[in-house]
Amino acid sequence: MEMVPDTSNLDPIVLELGQLFADAGYELSLVGGPVRDLYLGRISPDLDFTTNATPDEILSVGKKWADSHWEMGRAFGTIGFRKRNHNLDVLLIEVTTYRAEAYDPESRKPEVAFGASLEDDLQRRDFSVNAMALRLPSLELVDPYGGAVDLAAGLLRTPGTPQQSFSDDPLRMMRAARFASQLGFDVHPDVRAAMTDMAERISIISAERVRDELVKLICGAHPRAGIDILVETGLAELVLPEVPALQLETDEHHRHKDVYQHSLQVLEQAAQLESGPDGPVPGPDFVLRFAALMHDVGKPKTRRFEPGGAVSFRHHDLAGAKLTAKRMKALRFDNDSIKAVSRLVELHMRFYGYGEAGWSDSAVRRYVTDAGPLLERLHLLTRSDVTTRNQRKADRLSFAYDDLEARIASLAEREELDSIRPDLDGQAIMAMLNLSPGPVVGRAYKYMLEQRMEQGPLDAAAAEAALRQWWSQQPESVPAPEAGEDAAVQEY
């Protein structure tokens, strides 16, 4: 089936800028992802252009036209502009001089050389579906590498040989997996073979660039496909080794499920449970999805074959949380993301005690408090972790979690579960016990928090009585002199 780009979706600003460059005597073409998305009926948030103008000439043409500009990419031939369109939406525009770039085998930074033509520029791009351009303002399609045909086939190929493409920029191997996730495309066998042969080349790419591609992959519409490609080509061994390690050897009696396939299914199910923009966990949510992928990475380290023939993975949740945090640090994730994902991994088994024995109100409060702002994500992760084919077991776990959520809602109506605090704060504790700030106040606060967890909210009198009872048993407690007793005698 032949596909054609739907240029009716183009913002008039695109043609306006094209005419501006033509009037100045320069070529300008819309290129790459925005052109691909016209075929797919999508609107790109950013607009990428290429031109025969130099960076200085680009700036000269666009500076007065744009609302603002930036030059951070000047060394790579790129000048950026911001421009409000007729709907007052802010468009981000990047205009880049025709170029070719390649990596030195030992360098993480590309060597940039400006190219002579649009066709030369398109040849250096990652995949044929991104190597199409629309000349402006004529809207002539330039597609020398069959990108439209590949789009129709849902196939990722490189404009030149994949070996040359991946040698020029090894990150393109990660992009292949990312586009498979985002677009649902297959990777051409030649491209897949080159990725497998050249996987080691990814080691010259900075952790930050690898991280950014991984985030886009995880947040794609088909993350399972993207992860599978990373694992099958050997790239995951280098960028996310905990995931291929989930492919545990199955013992001859098949006494445990395929942990790798289970994890991919949990990832898929978690993505399906995400809410719309106004829901509790708007999708795509990287924290939830990555926790779903990594939730069992502690199993290879903790697997034990028990004397009776069973297989156990004791404390794999704790081991997995540590492995997840270590990997995310290596990939230069921010601290908040690291803490959130590893905490979800740590907590993902907590519910199963409820399903087996039921919980007191105290245990429910602890569950909510330990999850904190991650509670809604923990709900979805726990529900996603059910992949059994035994429908009765699946229904039983689902009903149990329904009951737990109902318990949480019921307690929340009576108590402020999302911000549990002791009935007495530090100031009140110091005033009642005549203490100065210090570790004793911290111990008292912790005790009162335990009371709040165990008994729920206490009135003022009960809270003070509990505190004084605790204080009477502490070594720092000194009995007050009895009425009429001489203080000096008491001291003696």
Side-chain angles (χ1 to χ4, degrees):
M1 180 184 66
E2 184 178 354
M3 299 180 69
V4 294
D6 181 8
T7 56
S8 65
N9 288 329
L10 273 180
D11 193 291
I13 287 292
V14 171
L15 298 178
E16 185 179 312
L17 185 61
Q19 190 63 56
L20 199 65
F21 270 75
D23 292 345
Y26 302 114
E27 298 175 4
L28 185 74
S29 297
L30 185 68
V31 70
V35 178
R36 179 199 69 221
D37 287 347
L38 289 175
Y39 279 89
L40 299 175
R42 307 191 316 182
I43 298 176
S44 289
D46 303 325
L47 297 172
D48 296 326
F49 299 84
T50 188
T51 179
N52 61 343
T54 67
D56 284 341
E57 292 165 340
I58 295 169
L59 196 56
S60 175
V61 173
K63 187 174 182 179
K64 292 182 179 179
W65 169 82
D67 299 322
S68 61
H69 72 279
W70 65 93
E71 302 180 44
M72 290 181 293
R74 175 186 279 272
F76 298 97
T78 300
I79 302 296
F81 299 105
R82 286 185 180 86
K83 178 73 173 178
R84 287 189 181 274
N85 64 12
H86 304 296
N87 297 322
L88 300 181
D89 298 322
V90 176
L91 301 182
L92 301 180
I93 295 166
E94 289 192 343
V95 183
T96 302
T97 305
Y98 296 151
R99 70 187 189 191
E101 66 185 32
Y103 275 80
D104 181 279
E106 304 303 322
S107 172
R108 289 181 173 181
K109 296 183 178 180
E111 300 171 348
V112 177
F114 295 146
S117 70
L118 175 59
E119 287 73 12
D120 289 343
D121 182 89
L122 294 178
Q123 186 176 25
R124 56 157 286 276
R125 294 183 178 270
D126 52 7
F127 301 104
S128 62
V129 296
N130 296 327
M132 296 182 289
L134 286 176
R135 292 190 187 274
L136 300 171
S138 67
L139 295 179
E140 174 196 350
L141 176 66
V142 181
D143 181 17
Y145 302 105
V149 173
D150 288 343
L151 268 176
L155 192 63
L156 288 172
R157 288 189 308 112
T158 53
T161 68
Q163 290 80 6
Q164 183 60 53
S165 181
F166 299 152
S167 179
D168 286 348
D169 185 354
L171 190 66
R172 290 172 176 172
M173 296 185 287
M174 289 284 297
R175 286 196 196 125
R178 186 246 290 186
F179 284 127
S181 170
Q182 289 181 327
L183 304 175
F185 284 8
D186 291 329
V187 176
H188 190 280
D190 291 347
V191 174
R192 189 182 291 262
M195 292 169 65
T196 303
D197 293 341
M198 302 177 67
E200 289 286 345
R201 283 279 289 160
I202 200 68
S203 61
I204 73 166
I205 301 298
S206 69
E208 291 83 357
R209 294 184 74 205
V210 170
R211 173 203 63 208
D212 291 346
E213 288 297 326
L214 182 62
V215 170
K216 293 173 183 177
L217 185 160
I218 294 295
C219 291
H222 312 277
R224 181 173 191 155
I227 293 296
D228 257 337
I229 290 171
L230 291 184
V231 171
E232 290 169 6
T233 59
L235 281 164
E237 288 282 358
L238 300 161
V239 301
L240 200 61
E242 295 78 10
V243 171
L246 293 170
Q247 296 175 307
L248 299 173
E249 305 86 355
T250 304
D251 61 281
E252 59 179 345
H253 300 295
H254 301 281
R255 287 170 289 194
H256 63 86
K257 67 180 71 175
D258 184 324
V259 183
Y260 172 68
Q261 293 299 331
H262 162 75
S263 298
L264 293 186
Q265 187 176 346
V266 174
L267 168 60
E268 280 188 322
Q269 293 179 172
Q272 291 166 3
L273 290 176
E274 290 168 340
S275 64
D278 298 325
V281 185
D285 187 273
F286 173 77
V287 169
L288 170 63
R289 293 185 181 202
F290 199 54
L293 176 65
M294 302 292 282
H295 76 285
D296 274 347
V297 295
K299 281 191 171 180
K301 184 177 181 179
T302 60
R303 183 171 67 157
R304 299 289 184 273
F305 291 99
E306 304 296 343
V311 179
S312 68
F313 303 95
R314 290 190 181 90
H315 306 304
H316 75 273
D317 43 356
L318 301 179
K322 292 178 181 178
L323 288 170
T324 299
K326 183 177 180 181
R327 178 54 48 197
M328 293 183 73
K329 287 176 184 176
L331 289 171
R332 305 291 192 271
F333 276 93
D334 62 279
N335 287 334
D336 287 344
S337 295
I338 294 171
K339 290 177 181 177
V341 175
S342 58
R343 185 63 165 160
L344 284 173
V345 173
E346 179 183 350
L347 293 175
H348 83 272
M349 291 294 293
R350 183 75 66 86
F351 157 72
Y352 289 93
Y354 183 91
E356 293 168 3
W359 284 351
S360 63
D361 285 352
S362 167
V364 175
R365 292 187 193 102
R366 291 180 190 280
Y367 187 77
V368 173
T369 301
D370 289 349
L374 298 171
L375 181 62
E376 294 295 339
R377 289 187 176 105
L378 183 58
H379 288 335
L380 302 190
L381 176 59
T382 303
R383 290 186 180 277
S384 302
D385 196 20
V386 179
T387 61
T388 178
R389 295 180 181 178
N390 184 325
Q391 193 59 48
R392 290 181 63 186
K393 181 178 180 182
D395 289 343
R396 176 164 47 82
L397 290 170
S398 178
F399 294 153
Y401 208 84
D402 288 344
D403 185 65
L404 174 57
E405 288 202 64
R407 290 275 305 283
I408 291 171
S410 177
L411 279 175
E413 289 182 2
R414 307 193 304 267
E415 309 173 18
E416 296 180 6
L417 283 185
D418 57 346
S419 58
I420 289 181
R421 298 288 186 272
D423 296 292
L424 300 174
D425 62 16
Q427 293 296 326
I429 290 170
M430 288 188 289
M432 287 182 183
L433 302 183
N434 194 25
L435 294 173
S436 299
V440 177
V441 178
R443 284 176 19 224
Y445 185 93
K446 183 177 180 181
Y447 172 77
M448 293 306 297
L449 180 58
E450 287 292 321
Q451 292 301 299
R452 173 69 174 80
M453 289 286 189
E454 290 295 332
Q455 301 183 41
L458 300 175
D459 60 33
E464 181 174 354
L467 176 64
R468 293 196 181 281
Q469 173 64 25
W470 173 84
W471 180 238
S472 70
Q473 300 171 7
Q474 304 309 303
E476 295 87 353
S477 174
V478 177
E482 294 182 6
E485 185 176 357
D486 183 73
V489 174
Q490 174 68 19
E491 259 184 31
Y492 177 79

